[in-house]
Amino acid sequence: MAERTLTPLAGWRIVAEPGAIDVAPWPDGAEVVRISADDAFVIGGAQPDLADPHAIVTPEHGFAGVVLDADALSRLAECHVEWQLPEGRPALAQGQIAGVPGKLVLREDGSALLLVACAAAHELAERVGLT
Amino acid sequence: MLRVTCPTCGTRPYEEFRYGSLFPVTPDSITDPDARQVDHAWMQDNVAGPITERWFHEAGCRRWFTAVRDTRTDAWSQPD
C-alpha cells in the first residue's frame, strides 16, 4: 500500500434526528458516512439541508481518508483489524485499525474508503504502511 | 479477551471501549431523597450474575450505550 496517501477530506458533519438523516436529500456527488443513528459525515457536495429544525450542520475538516482496492482492504483486514468486517456491502465498519480508531466505508465494488481523524492519520499511516 | 457488543458497530475488543459505571438502580424501598442519593452514588451490589452497565465506544461510533453483562461468564445481552 506504499503508493497510497491519507488525504484530508472536506465535508459536513451532521447531528440531527435519525429520521431526518434517513430521508435527507444529499447533494449530488456526496458520500454519506452514517457514524451513528443521529450522526453523519457527508463527504463533498454543497451544504445539506435537513428537515430537522434543530439539526447541527457544520463544516468538517477533521478526517483524512484513502481509497483501498479490494486486495489492499483484504491485506489491511488480515494484518491490522482484530474484529470481523461486515459481510454486506455497502456498509460502515468502525473500530480500531492497527490500534488507531478508524472507519472503513465498504463500497459495493469491493473497494473501501479508510477514514481516520487527521490527528491520528500520521500514526495510522506509519503503522499500516501508508505514505 | 473480553469482547463488547456495541449496538451501532457490533462486537469489538474491550480495548476500544471505556467503562462508564454500573447502571445505578436505587430500590423503591429507599424513599428518603438523601438516602436515595447515597445509594445511587455509593452502594454497589457486586452481583454474581447479570448486571446492567454503561459503556462508551471510544474507538468507534463514540456513543454511550447500556448493556447487560453476566459477571460470571462475560456474556452480553440487551437490556429490557
Side-chain angles (χ1 to χ4, degrees), chain A residues 7-63:
Chain A
T7 308
L9 300 171
W12 301 92
R13 191 66 175 267
I14 295 166
V15 178
E17 286 290 333
I21 297 179
D22 288 341
V23 300
W26 303 114
D28 290 339
E31 183 164 20
V32 181
V33 180
R34 190 72 175 267
I35 295 170
S36 69
D38 61 355
D39 187 356
F41 173 40
V42 182
I43 305 169
Q47 181 170 353
D49 187 22
L50 277 79
D52 178 5
H54 304 293
I56 299 169
V57 181
T58 184
E60 172 68 88
H61 302 282
F63 286 105

Side-chain angles (χ1 to χ4, degrees), chain A residues 36 38-39 83 94 96 103, chain B residues 3 9 12 16 59-60 63:
Chain A
S36 69
D38 61 355
D39 187 356
W83 34 274
Q94 306 178 95
Q96 284 188 343
K103 305 178 193 305
Chain B
R3 298 178 78 83
C9 304
R12 297 285 187 273
E16 293 192 8
R63 288 293 178 277

Side-chain angles (χ1 to χ4, degrees), chain B residues 24-27 30 33-45:
Chain B
V25 178
T26 302
I30 302 175
D34 290 343
R36 288 187 67 81
Q37 287 196 6
V38 168
D39 186 89
H40 179 95
W42 298 106
M43 298 302 171
Q44 307 290 318
D45 292 334

Side-chain angles (χ1 to χ4, degrees), chain B residues 14-80:
Chain B
Y14 157 79
E15 289 82 2
E16 293 192 8
F17 296 83
R18 181 181 298 176
Y19 176 71
S21 69
L22 197 67
F23 192 85
V25 178
T26 302
D28 292 339
S29 57
I30 302 175
T31 55
D32 177 70
D34 290 343
R36 288 187 67 81
Q37 287 196 6
V38 168
D39 186 89
H40 179 95
W42 298 106
M43 298 302 171
Q44 307 290 318
D45 292 334
N46 197 24
V47 171
I51 56 171
T52 305
E53 297 173 324
R54 294 286 287 162
W55 288 83
F56 180 63
H57 194 184
E58 193 167 26
C61 58
R62 300 189 64 79
R63 288 293 178 277
W64 285 96
F65 62 94
T66 303
V68 175
R69 179 173 64 91
D70 191 317
T71 56
R72 297 164 299 186
T73 61
D74 282 335
W76 297 86
S77 57
Q78 292 299 311
D80 295 331

